[in-house]
Structure formats: C-alpha cells, structure tokens
Amino acid sequence: MNGEFVLVVGSAVLEISGKTIDLLRPGMRQYGHIHTAVSGVARNIAENLARLDIDTVLLSAIANDDIGQHLITHSTLAGIDCRHVLRVSGARTATSMLLYQTEDNCTRVDDLSIADALDSDYLLEHEPLFASAALAVIDATLSEEALDTLFELAARYQVRVCADPTSPLMASRLRRFINNLYLIAPNASETAALCSLDEPATERESAIGTAQKLVNMGSNIAVVTLGEHGLAYADSSGGGYIRAIHTEVVDTSGAGDAFSGAVIFGLLNDVPIDEAMRLGVTAASLTLESEDTVLQSLSQELLYDELSA
C-alpha cells in the first residue's frame, strides 16, 4: 500500500432497527425485536478495513452527546483512528430508524442533518491527511461544496477516490465526479441516478452494461451490486459477473459496506479484480449472517478461509 493509511470521509450513524413478529397494523402496539448498531456507510467501510488490518482514518461528525461518544468508543476499539472526527455542539448525532415487516419491506427514517458540518473548511483543515493517504473512500452524504473540495484535495495529492453512492436520492451528487473516481459501487436502484437511466440495472446483462457505461464515463472500476442476484463489474479490460453466495440472512444492514471494504482491501493489496470482487462477495455474505452492521469477527484469515471453502 503506497501511503500511510486509507482516509474515509462521510457518515457515522446510530442505527435503530425494529422487526415486528406479526403483520404490521398501523395505530396498534406491535411486538417484535429492536436492535441498535453502530453504523453509517463511511464508518462501516472504515471498520471493515480496520478489521482487515488496514490503517484507517475517519473524517466524520458527531454531536457532543452520549450517542456520539458511543460511536467513537466502538469505532476506536475496532481499530479506526477517530482523532479527527468533528464534535459539534448543539447538534444531534446522525441516527437512522428502520422498521421491517419483512426483509424486503422496510420503512426508513434518517436524521443526517449533522452531515452539513462536514464542509469545505473542515476538509481544508485536514489537508495534511490527504497528502499522506494511500486512498480516500467517501459516501454521498457529503454536500456538493464538500465534494468539490474533497476532489480538489485528492487531485492535488494524487489520491485515488472510491465512492459509495449511499442511496438513490444521494447518488446523483456523484454524477459529475465519476471521471475522478477510482472505484464506484452502486446498487441497482442507484444506477438510474448515476447514469440517467429510465430503469435501474436489475439483470445480469443490463448490470454489466451499466458497469461498462460507468467506466466509459471515467471511473477506473465500476461495480453494480444486485443483492441475491450477484454483481457485475467492469474496468478498462472488460466486464464480468459473479453470483451471490447462498446465505441464511439475519440482517441486510451493512452488507454492501462489507463488500466495499473487502474489495478495497483486495485492490490495496494488488489482487486481480475478479479476486477482489470475490473477497467482497464473501465479506457481504458473512455480514448478512450477523445482526451487526459490521461482522465483529471479520479478519483476513476468516475472509480467505471462507473464500477458499
């Protein structure tokens, strides 16, 4: 790895999820299971990288509250360098609330207002980190202004940038930066916003075509994830497809972030692109079997043991 660490920029979130036992009936008390987890796309990717023994520095924002301290404590214990995370007085630490009736039927409410604190001034204050970074990883919770500054700093220090589009609504923020990206990994629903498609890429051939389109738009590597249907990927040498691993799903939260973290781990270690994708699929599959957004037992040894199984 050329550079001292991976610099990860974006959200750190407390995620609260609830799953009902019976059919959801609005207005009625529901019994079920409620679980809280440390989350946020950027923070999750950072933790996956740290658990794979990649030195990782997080730039994010939390409030001066117990939730924010909990996020910092957990992330630090996982191996992430959180010394530069911004603490914002009078704000609310980012929180997401998910209500599941089934795995495919989820209502989500996000309070990400604190993301506005990750502005140009904050990024410029941490310019020396860009000078020392091997790679930068971002999510799309950053504002247009912050993204402009981040890509200026990355270009100044020749730092490759990997991006997670985060959601269909936020993905469009990255459209004008695709030609500055080393890696972009949208899911099917995010491809429409990124590529101005009438319909998202949901099938094998359309996903391969969309990945190639993202490469033609300027990204070095593009991946289109299709959930249980696998993924398509492309780079300048062509495209490919990898099937998903059959998995008993416990919770889907964090699986995409595990995929991104393991792919980036592979690319940092100069493994071939198809092997990097298989590492990503393996990490996602392991995470789907856990209630946590990041698999607490994740390690290089476990990843390669499962890959070769």
Side-chain angles (χ1 to χ4, degrees):
M1 182 172 75
N2 295 322
E4 297 177 18
F5 49 79
V6 173
L7 182 63
V8 184
V9 188
S11 60
V13 178
L14 179 72
E15 183 177 282
I16 305 168
S17 60
K19 297 182 180 180
T20 60
I21 295 172
D22 300 315
L23 184 67
L24 185 64
R25 293 178 291 173
M28 301 293 289
R29 180 188 293 268
Q30 300 286 145
Y31 292 98
H33 176 65
I34 295 175
H35 177 69
T36 60
V38 174
S39 192
V41 170
R43 198 221 63 86
N44 287 350
I45 294 173
E47 183 173 342
N48 278 284
L49 287 167
R51 292 190 181 279
L52 293 171
D53 297 326
I54 298 294
D55 290 336
T56 308
V57 176
L58 179 65
L59 294 184
S60 189
I62 60 166
N64 280 320
D65 57 19
D66 291 342
I67 293 174
Q69 186 55 52
H70 174 60
L71 295 183
I72 292 298
T73 299
H74 176 99
S75 301
T76 301
L77 290 173
I80 304 170
D81 182 345
C82 295
R83 291 175 296 170
H84 306 280
V85 171
L86 180 65
R87 296 174 183 264
V88 185
S89 298
R92 298 183 302 275
T93 296
T95 306
S96 293
M97 183 169 59
L98 291 74
L99 178 60
Y100 290 92
Q101 185 168 332
T102 67
E103 286 298 336
D104 298 323
N105 185 354
C106 175
T107 300
R108 181 182 186 113
V109 179
D110 292 321
D111 181 354
L112 304 177
S113 57
I114 200 169
D116 292 340
L118 300 177
D119 57 16
S120 292
D121 289 341
Y122 171 70
L123 294 175
L124 289 169
E125 180 184 340
H126 293 89
E127 180 174 348
L129 294 175
F130 286 85
S132 301
L135 192 76
V137 183
I138 65 171
D139 67 24
T141 61
L142 300 172
S143 67
E144 297 275 359
E145 176 193 23
L147 287 169
D148 282 332
T149 301
L150 185 143
F151 280 99
E152 287 174 7
L153 291 171
R156 185 176 303 165
Y157 296 104
Q158 299 182 319
V159 178
R160 298 172 296 174
V161 179
C162 303
D164 187 302
T166 308
S167 75
L169 184 63
M170 295 178 181
S172 59
R173 299 178 186 178
L174 296 175
R175 189 184 303 155
R176 63 192 178 94
F177 299 106
I178 291 174
N179 66 334
N180 303 113
L181 290 174
Y182 176 60
L183 169 71
I184 189 165
N187 61 30
S189 61
E190 292 159 354
T191 58
L194 283 169
C195 300
S196 302
L197 304 174
D198 293 330
E199 296 290 337
T202 57
E203 305 294 336
R204 172 174 175 165
E205 293 306 318
S206 64
I208 292 174
T210 300
Q212 291 172 329
K213 180 174 182 177
L214 286 164
V215 170
N216 292 338
M217 292 168 68
S219 181
N220 288 66
I221 302 170
V223 186
V224 177
T225 59
L226 302 172
E228 64 183 10
H229 301 295
L231 64 89
Y233 65 92
D235 65 2
S236 60
S237 65
Y241 172 82
I242 295 179
R243 297 181 185 276
I245 299 170
H246 178 70
T247 302
E248 295 296 327
V249 177
V250 173
D251 196 307
T252 58
S253 292
D257 308 328
F259 169 82
S260 295
V263 168
I264 292 166
F265 162 78
L267 296 173
L268 285 168
N269 285 281
D270 298 321
V271 305
I273 185 171
D274 58 338
E275 182 178 341
M277 296 300 149
R278 290 192 293 116
L279 287 169
V281 169
T282 301
S285 177
L286 289 167
T287 304
L288 287 168
E289 297 173 347
S290 169
E291 194 173 37
D292 293 316
T293 54
V294 177
L295 185 67
Q296 302 299 288
S297 60
L298 183 66
S299 66
Q300 292 186 29
E301 292 75 18
L302 175 63
L303 194 59
Y304 277 103
D305 284 346
E306 291 294 322
L307 184 66
S308 60

PDB file of all heavy atoms in Angstrom, residues 153-180:
ATOM      1  N   LEU A 153      -8.635  18.391  -3.323  1.00  0.00           N
ATOM      2  CA  LEU A 153      -7.539  17.921  -2.477  1.00  0.00           C
ATOM      3  C   LEU A 153      -6.996  16.584  -2.985  1.00  0.00           C
ATOM      4  O   LEU A 153      -5.772  16.370  -3.003  1.00  0.00           O
ATOM      5  CB  LEU A 153      -8.012  17.786  -1.032  1.00  0.00           C
ATOM      6  CG  LEU A 153      -8.326  19.087  -0.302  1.00  0.00           C
ATOM      7  CD1 LEU A 153      -8.991  18.804   1.039  1.00  0.00           C
ATOM      8  CD2 LEU A 153      -7.044  19.897  -0.091  1.00  0.00           C
ATOM      9  N   ALA A 154      -7.886  15.700  -3.388  1.00  0.00           N
ATOM     10  CA  ALA A 154      -7.444  14.400  -3.898  1.00  0.00           C
ATOM     11  C   ALA A 154      -6.598  14.577  -5.156  1.00  0.00           C
ATOM     12  O   ALA A 154      -5.571  13.901  -5.322  1.00  0.00           O
ATOM     13  CB  ALA A 154      -8.651  13.514  -4.179  1.00  0.00           C
ATOM     14  N   ALA A 155      -7.010  15.475  -6.036  1.00  0.00           N
ATOM     15  CA  ALA A 155      -6.237  15.719  -7.256  1.00  0.00           C
ATOM     16  C   ALA A 155      -4.885  16.348  -6.932  1.00  0.00           C
ATOM     17  O   ALA A 155      -3.856  16.008  -7.538  1.00  0.00           O
ATOM     18  CB  ALA A 155      -7.032  16.619  -8.199  1.00  0.00           C
ATOM     19  N   ARG A 156      -4.877  17.245  -5.961  1.00  0.00           N
ATOM     20  CA  ARG A 156      -3.633  17.943  -5.585  1.00  0.00           C
ATOM     21  C   ARG A 156      -2.571  16.951  -5.114  1.00  0.00           C
ATOM     22  O   ARG A 156      -1.383  17.105  -5.419  1.00  0.00           O
ATOM     23  CB  ARG A 156      -3.938  18.966  -4.484  1.00  0.00           C
ATOM     24  CG  ARG A 156      -2.766  19.839  -4.079  1.00  0.00           C
ATOM     25  CD  ARG A 156      -3.223  20.866  -3.057  1.00  0.00           C
ATOM     26  NE  ARG A 156      -4.321  21.674  -3.574  1.00  0.00           N
ATOM     27  CZ  ARG A 156      -5.104  22.450  -2.830  1.00  0.00           C
ATOM     28  NH1 ARG A 156      -4.904  22.518  -1.518  1.00  0.00           N
ATOM     29  NH2 ARG A 156      -6.070  23.151  -3.373  1.00  0.00           N
ATOM     30  N   TYR A 157      -3.017  15.919  -4.400  1.00  0.00           N
ATOM     31  CA  TYR A 157      -2.065  14.961  -3.834  1.00  0.00           C
ATOM     32  C   TYR A 157      -2.112  13.599  -4.521  1.00  0.00           C
ATOM     33  O   TYR A 157      -1.558  12.635  -4.021  1.00  0.00           O
ATOM     34  CB  TYR A 157      -2.317  14.822  -2.327  1.00  0.00           C
ATOM     35  CG  TYR A 157      -2.062  16.118  -1.598  1.00  0.00           C
ATOM     36  CD1 TYR A 157      -3.128  16.907  -1.160  1.00  0.00           C
ATOM     37  CD2 TYR A 157      -0.767  16.578  -1.392  1.00  0.00           C
ATOM     38  CE1 TYR A 157      -2.891  18.106  -0.507  1.00  0.00           C
ATOM     39  CE2 TYR A 157      -0.527  17.780  -0.755  1.00  0.00           C
ATOM     40  CZ  TYR A 157      -1.594  18.552  -0.310  1.00  0.00           C
ATOM     41  OH  TYR A 157      -1.352  19.749   0.327  1.00  0.00           O
ATOM     42  N   GLN A 158      -2.784  13.559  -5.665  1.00  0.00           N
ATOM     43  CA  GLN A 158      -2.861  12.340  -6.483  1.00  0.00           C
ATOM     44  C   GLN A 158      -3.345  11.140  -5.663  1.00  0.00           C
ATOM     45  O   GLN A 158      -2.765  10.052  -5.728  1.00  0.00           O
ATOM     46  CB  GLN A 158      -1.502  12.049  -7.136  1.00  0.00           C
ATOM     47  CG  GLN A 158      -1.045  13.164  -8.072  1.00  0.00           C
ATOM     48  CD  GLN A 158       0.272  12.860  -8.751  1.00  0.00           C
ATOM     49  OE1 GLN A 158       1.195  12.330  -8.131  1.00  0.00           O
ATOM     50  NE2 GLN A 158       0.366  13.178 -10.030  1.00  0.00           N
ATOM     51  N   VAL A 159      -4.410  11.373  -4.925  1.00  0.00           N
ATOM     52  CA  VAL A 159      -5.031  10.331  -4.111  1.00  0.00           C
ATOM     53  C   VAL A 159      -6.226   9.757  -4.869  1.00  0.00           C
ATOM     54  O   VAL A 159      -7.126  10.507  -5.268  1.00  0.00           O
ATOM     55  CB  VAL A 159      -5.492  10.883  -2.747  1.00  0.00           C
ATOM     56  CG1 VAL A 159      -6.174   9.798  -1.923  1.00  0.00           C
ATOM     57  CG2 VAL A 159      -4.314  11.470  -1.991  1.00  0.00           C
ATOM     58  N   ARG A 160      -6.244   8.468  -5.067  1.00  0.00           N
ATOM     59  CA  ARG A 160      -7.384   7.815  -5.717  1.00  0.00           C
ATOM     60  C   ARG A 160      -8.591   7.854  -4.774  1.00  0.00           C
ATOM     61  O   ARG A 160      -8.440   7.734  -3.564  1.00  0.00           O
ATOM     62  CB  ARG A 160      -7.052   6.371  -6.070  1.00  0.00           C
ATOM     63  CG  ARG A 160      -5.896   6.226  -7.058  1.00  0.00           C
ATOM     64  CD  ARG A 160      -5.487   4.771  -7.208  1.00  0.00           C
ATOM     65  NE  ARG A 160      -4.957   4.233  -5.953  1.00  0.00           N
ATOM     66  CZ  ARG A 160      -4.624   2.967  -5.766  1.00  0.00           C
ATOM     67  NH1 ARG A 160      -4.767   2.083  -6.749  1.00  0.00           N
ATOM     68  NH2 ARG A 160      -4.154   2.564  -4.596  1.00  0.00           N
ATOM     69  N   VAL A 161      -9.786   8.003  -5.354  1.00  0.00           N
ATOM     70  CA  VAL A 161     -11.006   8.111  -4.559  1.00  0.00           C
ATOM     71  C   VAL A 161     -11.972   6.990  -4.937  1.00  0.00           C
ATOM     72  O   VAL A 161     -12.265   6.774  -6.115  1.00  0.00           O
ATOM     73  CB  VAL A 161     -11.697   9.475  -4.773  1.00  0.00           C
ATOM     74  CG1 VAL A 161     -12.978   9.555  -3.940  1.00  0.00           C
ATOM     75  CG2 VAL A 161     -10.753  10.624  -4.422  1.00  0.00           C
ATOM     76  N   CYS A 162     -12.477   6.295  -3.914  1.00  0.00           N
ATOM     77  CA  CYS A 162     -13.533   5.292  -4.075  1.00  0.00           C
ATOM     78  C   CYS A 162     -14.810   5.868  -3.486  1.00  0.00           C
ATOM     79  O   CYS A 162     -14.783   6.527  -2.447  1.00  0.00           O
ATOM     80  CB  CYS A 162     -13.175   4.001  -3.339  1.00  0.00           C
ATOM     81  SG  CYS A 162     -11.610   3.269  -3.846  1.00  0.00           S
ATOM     82  N   ALA A 163     -15.953   5.604  -4.127  1.00  0.00           N
ATOM     83  CA  ALA A 163     -17.200   6.206  -3.677  1.00  0.00           C
ATOM     84  C   ALA A 163     -18.314   5.182  -3.555  1.00  0.00           C
ATOM     85  O   ALA A 163     -18.467   4.305  -4.408  1.00  0.00           O
ATOM     86  CB  ALA A 163     -17.629   7.321  -4.629  1.00  0.00           C
ATOM     87  N   ASP A 164     -19.088   5.322  -2.481  1.00  0.00           N
ATOM     88  CA  ASP A 164     -20.333   4.567  -2.308  1.00  0.00           C
ATOM     89  C   ASP A 164     -21.484   5.550  -2.473  1.00  0.00           C
ATOM     90  O   ASP A 164     -21.581   6.518  -1.713  1.00  0.00           O
ATOM     91  CB  ASP A 164     -20.376   3.925  -0.926  1.00  0.00           C
ATOM     92  CG  ASP A 164     -21.567   2.993  -0.766  1.00  0.00           C
ATOM     93  OD1 ASP A 164     -22.706   3.467  -0.934  1.00  0.00           O
ATOM     94  OD2 ASP A 164     -21.363   1.809  -0.480  1.00  0.00           O
ATOM     95  N   PRO A 165     -22.390   5.330  -3.432  1.00  0.00           N
ATOM     96  CA  PRO A 165     -23.465   6.290  -3.694  1.00  0.00           C
ATOM     97  C   PRO A 165     -24.480   6.436  -2.563  1.00  0.00           C
ATOM     98  O   PRO A 165     -25.265   7.384  -2.555  1.00  0.00           O
ATOM     99  CB  PRO A 165     -24.134   5.735  -4.963  1.00  0.00           C
ATOM    100  CG  PRO A 165     -23.078   4.912  -5.614  1.00  0.00           C
ATOM    101  CD  PRO A 165     -22.318   4.294  -4.476  1.00  0.00           C
ATOM    102  N   THR A 166     -24.525   5.488  -1.624  1.00  0.00           N
ATOM    103  CA  THR A 166     -25.265   5.606  -0.359  1.00  0.00           C
ATOM    104  C   THR A 166     -26.768   5.398  -0.492  1.00  0.00           C
ATOM    105  O   THR A 166     -27.354   4.611   0.247  1.00  0.00           O
ATOM    106  CB  THR A 166     -24.985   6.953   0.329  1.00  0.00           C
ATOM    107  OG1 THR A 166     -23.562   7.131   0.421  1.00  0.00           O
ATOM    108  CG2 THR A 166     -25.589   7.012   1.710  1.00  0.00           C
ATOM    109  N   SER A 167     -27.420   6.088  -1.417  1.00  0.00           N
ATOM    110  CA  SER A 167     -28.855   5.923  -1.628  1.00  0.00           C
ATOM    111  C   SER A 167     -29.205   6.455  -3.010  1.00  0.00           C
ATOM    112  O   SER A 167     -28.464   7.271  -3.568  1.00  0.00           O
ATOM    113  CB  SER A 167     -29.660   6.684  -0.563  1.00  0.00           C
ATOM    114  OG  SER A 167     -29.630   8.077  -0.821  1.00  0.00           O
ATOM    115  N   PRO A 168     -30.346   6.034  -3.575  1.00  0.00           N
ATOM    116  CA  PRO A 168     -30.743   6.572  -4.883  1.00  0.00           C
ATOM    117  C   PRO A 168     -30.868   8.091  -4.876  1.00  0.00           C
ATOM    118  O   PRO A 168     -30.521   8.753  -5.858  1.00  0.00           O
ATOM    119  CB  PRO A 168     -32.101   5.901  -5.140  1.00  0.00           C
ATOM    120  CG  PRO A 168     -32.042   4.622  -4.368  1.00  0.00           C
ATOM    121  CD  PRO A 168     -31.256   4.958  -3.128  1.00  0.00           C
ATOM    122  N   LEU A 169     -31.347   8.670  -3.761  1.00  0.00           N
ATOM    123  CA  LEU A 169     -31.511  10.117  -3.685  1.00  0.00           C
ATOM    124  C   LEU A 169     -30.174  10.837  -3.675  1.00  0.00           C
ATOM    125  O   LEU A 169     -30.010  11.892  -4.310  1.00  0.00           O
ATOM    126  CB  LEU A 169     -32.309  10.471  -2.421  1.00  0.00           C
ATOM    127  CG  LEU A 169     -32.668  11.939  -2.224  1.00  0.00           C
ATOM    128  CD1 LEU A 169     -33.577  12.419  -3.356  1.00  0.00           C
ATOM    129  CD2 LEU A 169     -33.339  12.144  -0.871  1.00  0.00           C
ATOM    130  N   MET A 170     -29.195  10.280  -2.959  1.00  0.00           N
ATOM    131  CA  MET A 170     -27.894  10.939  -2.838  1.00  0.00           C
ATOM    132  C   MET A 170     -26.956  10.635  -4.003  1.00  0.00           C
ATOM    133  O   MET A 170     -26.009  11.388  -4.240  1.00  0.00           O
ATOM    134  CB  MET A 170     -27.225  10.517  -1.527  1.00  0.00           C
ATOM    135  CG  MET A 170     -27.952  10.959  -0.281  1.00  0.00           C
ATOM    136  SD  MET A 170     -27.121  10.359   1.219  1.00  0.00           S
ATOM    137  CE  MET A 170     -28.210  11.009   2.488  1.00  0.00           C
ATOM    138  N   ALA A 171     -27.197   9.557  -4.715  1.00  0.00           N
ATOM    139  CA  ALA A 171     -26.261   9.109  -5.753  1.00  0.00           C
ATOM    140  C   ALA A 171     -26.008  10.171  -6.809  1.00  0.00           C
ATOM    141  O   ALA A 171     -24.888  10.288  -7.334  1.00  0.00           O
ATOM    142  CB  ALA A 171     -26.789   7.830  -6.400  1.00  0.00           C
ATOM    143  N   SER A 172     -27.023  10.975  -7.131  1.00  0.00           N
ATOM    144  CA  SER A 172     -26.866  11.969  -8.193  1.00  0.00           C
ATOM    145  C   SER A 172     -25.783  12.994  -7.873  1.00  0.00           C
ATOM    146  O   SER A 172     -25.226  13.619  -8.778  1.00  0.00           O
ATOM    147  CB  SER A 172     -28.196  12.678  -8.448  1.00  0.00           C
ATOM    148  OG  SER A 172     -28.663  13.316  -7.273  1.00  0.00           O
ATOM    149  N   ARG A 173     -25.453  13.174  -6.576  1.00  0.00           N
ATOM    150  CA  ARG A 173     -24.397  14.113  -6.208  1.00  0.00           C
ATOM    151  C   ARG A 173     -23.045  13.710  -6.795  1.00  0.00           C
ATOM    152  O   ARG A 173     -22.156  14.553  -6.972  1.00  0.00           O
ATOM    153  CB  ARG A 173     -24.270  14.190  -4.677  1.00  0.00           C
ATOM    154  CG  ARG A 173     -25.498  14.671  -3.951  1.00  0.00           C
ATOM    155  CD  ARG A 173     -25.284  14.664  -2.452  1.00  0.00           C
ATOM    156  NE  ARG A 173     -26.494  14.998  -1.717  1.00  0.00           N
ATOM    157  CZ  ARG A 173     -26.588  15.024  -0.404  1.00  0.00           C
ATOM    158  NH1 ARG A 173     -25.524  14.740   0.354  1.00  0.00           N
ATOM    159  NH2 ARG A 173     -27.725  15.322   0.186  1.00  0.00           N
ATOM    160  N   LEU A 174     -22.877  12.419  -7.059  1.00  0.00           N
ATOM    161  CA  LEU A 174     -21.580  11.920  -7.534  1.00  0.00           C
ATOM    162  C   LEU A 174     -21.461  11.927  -9.055  1.00  0.00           C
ATOM    163  O   LEU A 174     -20.377  11.670  -9.581  1.00  0.00           O
ATOM    164  CB  LEU A 174     -21.367  10.488  -7.029  1.00  0.00           C
ATOM    165  CG  LEU A 174     -21.268  10.308  -5.515  1.00  0.00           C
ATOM    166  CD1 LEU A 174     -21.183   8.827  -5.170  1.00  0.00           C
ATOM    167  CD2 LEU A 174     -20.062  11.049  -4.949  1.00  0.00           C
ATOM    168  N   ARG A 175     -22.558  12.225  -9.754  1.00  0.00           N
ATOM    169  CA  ARG A 175     -22.558  12.057 -11.209  1.00  0.00           C
ATOM    170  C   ARG A 175     -21.444  12.851 -11.883  1.00  0.00           C
ATOM    171  O   ARG A 175     -20.744  12.347 -12.758  1.00  0.00           O
ATOM    172  CB  ARG A 175     -23.923  12.466 -11.772  1.00  0.00           C
ATOM    173  CG  ARG A 175     -24.101  12.122 -13.251  1.00  0.00           C
ATOM    174  CD  ARG A 175     -25.426  12.644 -13.762  1.00  0.00           C
ATOM    175  NE  ARG A 175     -26.541  12.123 -12.977  1.00  0.00           N
ATOM    176  CZ  ARG A 175     -27.720  12.736 -12.862  1.00  0.00           C
ATOM    177  NH1 ARG A 175     -27.912  13.901 -13.459  1.00  0.00           N
ATOM    178  NH2 ARG A 175     -28.687  12.194 -12.147  1.00  0.00           N
ATOM    179  N   ARG A 176     -21.263  14.109 -11.467  1.00  0.00           N
ATOM    180  CA  ARG A 176     -20.259  14.933 -12.153  1.00  0.00           C
ATOM    181  C   ARG A 176     -18.826  14.622 -11.727  1.00  0.00           C
ATOM    182  O   ARG A 176     -17.873  15.207 -12.274  1.00  0.00           O
ATOM    183  CB  ARG A 176     -20.563  16.413 -11.970  1.00  0.00           C
ATOM    184  CG  ARG A 176     -20.519  16.919 -10.545  1.00  0.00           C
ATOM    185  CD  ARG A 176     -21.124  18.323 -10.467  1.00  0.00           C
ATOM    186  NE  ARG A 176     -21.143  18.839  -9.111  1.00  0.00           N
ATOM    187  CZ  ARG A 176     -20.201  19.606  -8.596  1.00  0.00           C
ATOM    188  NH1 ARG A 176     -19.138  19.929  -9.327  1.00  0.00           N
ATOM    189  NH2 ARG A 176     -20.289  20.048  -7.356  1.00  0.00           N
ATOM    190  N   PHE A 177     -18.670  13.699 -10.773  1.00  0.00           N
ATOM    191  CA  PHE A 177     -17.322  13.344 -10.320  1.00  0.00           C
ATOM    192  C   PHE A 177     -16.894  11.941 -10.785  1.00  0.00           C
ATOM    193  O   PHE A 177     -15.820  11.484 -10.401  1.00  0.00           O
ATOM    194  CB  PHE A 177     -17.254  13.397  -8.790  1.00  0.00           C
ATOM    195  CG  PHE A 177     -17.546  14.745  -8.208  1.00  0.00           C
ATOM    196  CD1 PHE A 177     -18.753  14.988  -7.563  1.00  0.00           C
ATOM    197  CD2 PHE A 177     -16.627  15.779  -8.306  1.00  0.00           C
ATOM    198  CE1 PHE A 177     -19.029  16.222  -7.019  1.00  0.00           C
ATOM    199  CE2 PHE A 177     -16.902  17.029  -7.766  1.00  0.00           C
ATOM    200  CZ  PHE A 177     -18.112  17.254  -7.120  1.00  0.00           C
ATOM    201  N   ILE A 178     -17.711  11.294 -11.585  1.00  0.00           N
ATOM    202  CA  ILE A 178     -17.412   9.906 -11.959  1.00  0.00           C
ATOM    203  C   ILE A 178     -16.063   9.791 -12.652  1.00  0.00           C
ATOM    204  O   ILE A 178     -15.307   8.834 -12.428  1.00  0.00           O
ATOM    205  CB  ILE A 178     -18.549   9.318 -12.827  1.00  0.00           C
ATOM    206  CG1 ILE A 178     -19.808   9.141 -11.967  1.00  0.00           C
ATOM    207  CG2 ILE A 178     -18.142   7.969 -13.425  1.00  0.00           C
ATOM    208  CD1 ILE A 178     -21.037   8.713 -12.751  1.00  0.00           C
ATOM    209  N   ASN A 179     -15.729  10.790 -13.466  1.00  0.00           N
ATOM    210  CA  ASN A 179     -14.442  10.717 -14.171  1.00  0.00           C
ATOM    211  C   ASN A 179     -13.248  10.948 -13.251  1.00  0.00           C
ATOM    212  O   ASN A 179     -12.096  10.838 -13.680  1.00  0.00           O
ATOM    213  CB  ASN A 179     -14.404  11.697 -15.349  1.00  0.00           C
ATOM    214  CG  ASN A 179     -14.454  13.144 -14.898  1.00  0.00           C
ATOM    215  OD1 ASN A 179     -14.985  13.449 -13.827  1.00  0.00           O
ATOM    216  ND2 ASN A 179     -13.914  14.028 -15.706  1.00  0.00           N
ATOM    217  N   ASN A 180     -13.508  11.255 -11.968  1.00  0.00           N
ATOM    218  CA  ASN A 180     -12.430  11.411 -10.985  1.00  0.00           C
ATOM    219  C   ASN A 180     -12.326  10.223 -10.041  1.00  0.00           C
ATOM    220  O   ASN A 180     -11.525  10.251  -9.099  1.00  0.00           O
ATOM    221  CB  ASN A 180     -12.662  12.673 -10.142  1.00  0.00           C
ATOM    222  CG  ASN A 180     -12.772  13.935 -10.974  1.00  0.00           C
ATOM    223  OD1 ASN A 180     -13.834  14.539 -11.037  1.00  0.00           O
ATOM    224  ND2 ASN A 180     -11.688  14.329 -11.615  1.00  0.00           N
TER     225      ASN A 180
END
